[in-house]
Amino acid sequence: MQEFLVKNLGFLAGFLTTIAFLPQVFRVWSTKSTKDISIWMFLIFTTGVFLWLIYGLIIMNNSLIVANTITLILSLSILIAKILFK
């Protein structure tokens, strides 16, 4: 039972922190405005997410792998928009 709770806690945490990016992604791509977004913050954040993904792959932790793969895609889409919509 404890293993089930811990595993699902990881998935819930990953789900919530991942979907938190969706409103920003939708707003950036719909308005084509990234004026108030710091490219340095997103570069550092995206690098950190990538490293969390690598860590998750090394330790074979599915919640880390899934959450950080999706978050990496969302974060990269904001970085790409930041570059394209200057």
Side-chain angles (χ1 to χ4, degrees), residues 52-53 56-58 60-70:
W52 273 114
L53 174 58
L57 289 167
I58 290 169
M60 299 302 297
N61 183 299
N62 288 334
S63 60
L64 286 176
I65 294 167
V66 170
N68 286 294
T69 298
I70 296 168

Side-chain angles (χ1 to χ4, degrees), residues 13-24:
F15 175 76
L16 292 174
T17 56
T18 298
I19 65 165
F21 276 86
L22 285 176
Q24 189 66 57

Side-chain angles (χ1 to χ4, degrees), residues 5 16 21 27 40-41 43 50 85:
L5 290 174
L16 292 174
F21 276 86
R27 183 170 184 94
W40 289 108
M41 179 271 182
L43 283 169
F50 177 72
F85 303 145

